Amino acid sequence: MNDPRLNELLKWGVQNSESSRNDPNAPAAPSNLTPDVLAALLGGPSDADLMRESMRSITSDEISLENKLVAFDNFEQLVEQIDNANNMVALGLWEPLLKQLDSEEAELRSMAAWCVSTAVQNNVKAQEKLLDNKAVPTLMRLAIEDPDKTVRKKAINALSSVTRNFQPGLDAAVESLPEQFKVDRKLDAGNMDDVDVVIQRLRDESANKA
């Protein structure tokens, strides 16, 4: 899809989202008018269209890094909605998103980890999909080894989101831990102190790096 109206709407939405959030006088949108309802009424792009277009920009060789980051910011806001996060499977967006975890650009790795964290937080379907894509070891590698502090932080946040109250995610994280971080007992994903046995160790390790 290469609809100029969609491109302009995507650009406008990202440029104005931050100012709208910070403006206490900005009018609140009616609760019964979801983006998809508005799209149907006005003939504009749906959230699915916007998600696809955002990912197209993120993965394009012809888009500048600055504009990729704009598209990533828009994508992250979209997957805050659980229905949009779950729709990533049908739209085929998990694979291109996770590929960005290996980007040469630290900012893209960071944004990819941030989007993962947002999509899987308190969302079992998305947590399961992350495990299906075997992304936990990649996030663990970024959390421990990435030279960029922001990337490490976002990767740790993503691991936190996929391990809290989701036992398979915590088990996968424990299995991916380097030997020096291994724990000698079974951890319970429903126990936040148990989860923090892993997450806090990662945060401490990251803080000790330059």
Side-chain angles (χ1 to χ4, degrees):
M1 177 171 50
N2 191 23
D3 187 340
R5 297 171 302 169
L6 179 56
N7 294 335
E8 287 301 312
L9 182 58
L10 175 61
K11 183 189 301 183
W12 181 91
V14 173
Q15 288 175 342
N16 288 275
S17 59
E18 188 65 31
S19 60
S20 296
R21 288 198 300 268
N22 294 332
D23 181 3
N25 297 316
S31 59
N32 61 327
L33 293 180
T34 66
D36 280 335
V37 170
L38 286 172
L41 290 173
L42 302 176
S46 65
D47 279 7
D49 293 330
L50 291 171
M51 289 165 66
R52 277 191 295 252
E53 191 64 23
S54 293
M55 190 57 66
R56 187 175 306 229
S57 296
I58 291 165
T59 58
S60 173
D61 293 333
E62 300 177 356
I63 302 294
S64 69
L65 175 59
E66 180 180 3
N67 286 332
K68 286 175 184 281
L69 295 175
V70 168
F72 242 141
D73 185 68
N74 187 65
F75 188 84
E76 191 276 333
Q77 293 177 55
L78 286 163
V79 298
E80 285 180 351
Q81 299 183 40
I82 192 168
D83 288 341
N84 287 342
N86 290 337
N87 202 24
M88 287 170 61
V89 177
L91 297 174
L93 296 178
W94 271 110
E95 182 177 355
L97 172 61
L98 295 176
K99 281 185 177 179
Q100 294 301 309
L101 293 173
D102 293 317
S103 171
E104 294 181 359
E105 297 286 350
E107 289 172 292
L108 295 180
R109 296 196 302 275
S110 175
M111 290 298 294
W114 185 24
C115 288
V116 168
S117 179
T118 299
V120 305
Q121 188 172 26
N122 300 317
N123 184 345
V124 173
K125 289 183 179 179
Q127 290 168 332
E128 290 173 343
K129 185 52 60 176
L130 191 70
L131 263 62
D132 288 345
N133 281 278
K134 305 185 186 307
V136 169
T138 300
L139 290 168
M140 186 65 70
R141 173 175 54 79
L142 293 178
I144 296 173
E145 301 178 7
D146 200 277
D148 187 273
K149 181 178 180 180
T150 301
V151 174
R152 296 197 302 271
K153 178 180 178 181
K154 297 299 186 184
I156 293 169
N157 288 345
L159 288 168
S160 178
S161 291
V162 78
T163 54
R164 295 186 188 279
N165 296 309
F166 183 58
Q167 192 64 46
L170 181 58
D171 292 343
V174 170
E175 184 177 348
S176 299
L177 283 169
E179 191 61 35
Q180 66 268 31
F181 296 133
K182 291 294 186 181
V183 294
D184 57 2
R185 62 183 178 86
K186 176 73 171 179
L187 299 179
D188 179 4
N191 184 324
M192 296 305 99
D193 289 337
D194 270 13
V195 174
D196 281 337
V197 167
V198 174
I199 301 304
Q200 192 58 49
R201 288 184 186 185
L202 295 176
R203 287 175 176 155
D204 291 344
E205 175 70 12
S206 177
N208 289 332
K209 293 183 182 292

